[in-house]
Amino acid sequence: GVFNNYTIYATEDGKEFKKIASGNFVYPDGIKAKTVEFNATKMRGIKIETTDSITDVATAAEIKFHSEPPKKEAVKKAPVTGDGKSLEGVPFLDRTGWIASGKSFVAGSPMKILDGDTKTHWHSNYQAVDGVVTERDNPPYTLEITLPEAKVISGMSLHPRGDGMDVGKILK
């Protein structure tokens, strides 16, 4: 479930989504939080889609949004801390009133990606017997986040599962 590829869409009116970013995650140093940068965009909703992942399922622990672009030289050190700011000192947006939904999920609500706890996570839908996945939804796996009002957003930080499991993490 580690995401391999992603596409991010934004909507200002809550109806029409436009692609603002896409790419692939690589993990040469192990599974760690990833930062995606895009042009600062005023939006009321954001949709994150993954079409490929390790173990053919998807999961994310936390998603935080940047209010301004991080400084390039600082991004190389490490992407985020747990105190509401990236290591570059860029504050994350307040997520009060935000709503997360997903096309496919299990292990609780997609709202777990907005709860501030990296030990909880959203996970795409699957069934397992004795630890072996026997049934699953097919990609793309989609998370949609709706804001109470349009905000300018310039990037996001994606935190992989914090429970020690290396399954279900977004690579692309």
Side-chain angles (χ1 to χ4, degrees):
V2 177
F3 288 26
N4 287 321
N5 66 328
Y6 63 88
T7 304
I8 300 172
Y9 304 87
T11 179
E12 188 171 347
D13 63 8
K15 297 174 185 166
E16 183 180 340
F17 283 86
K18 295 179 182 172
K19 179 179 169 180
I20 59 170
S22 64
N24 301 56
F25 290 133
V26 294
Y27 297 93
D29 301 322
I31 306 298
K32 297 178 183 170
K34 293 293 181 183
T35 298
V36 176
E37 293 180 52
F38 45 82
N39 291 331
T41 305
K42 186 175 184 179
M43 63 181 81
R44 180 143 192 259
I46 188 165
K47 187 182 335 182
I48 304 156
E49 179 180 83
T50 181
T51 56
D52 185 40
S53 63
I54 292 178
T55 67
D56 297 321
V57 293
T59 188
E62 285 293 305
I63 295 179
K64 297 179 179 180
F65 297 90
H66 301 264
S67 58
E68 59 187 74
K71 297 171 184 74
K72 295 278 186 199
E73 64 279 359
V75 171
K76 295 176 184 172
K77 294 178 186 172
V80 293
T81 66
D83 65 1
K85 291 186 179 181
S86 65
L87 288 178
E88 310 81 52
V90 176
F92 293 117
L93 293 172
D94 178 11
R95 297 174 292 180
T96 302
W98 292 28
I99 299 170
S101 59
K103 180 185 109 181
S104 165
F105 65 90
V106 70
S109 166
M111 285 295 291
K112 290 183 177 183
I113 65 167
L114 300 175
D115 68 1
D117 182 356
T118 58
K119 298 292 185 209
T120 64
H121 60 274
W122 161 84
H123 200 302
S124 63
N125 192 31
Y126 72 97
Q127 301 294 320
V129 175
D130 296 326
V132 176
V133 175
T134 57
E135 190 177 318
R136 65 177 175 81
D137 289 348
N138 291 317
Y141 309 110
T142 304
L143 290 168
E144 190 170 319
I145 300 161
T146 304
L147 291 64
E149 61 186 35
K151 301 255 185 202
V152 174
I153 298 177
S154 64
M156 69 171 216
S157 294
L158 171 76
H159 295 253
R161 287 175 66 157
D163 60 1
M165 298 290 291
D166 278 340
V167 299
K169 294 180 181 144
I170 301 168
L171 288 177
K172 286 186 182 176

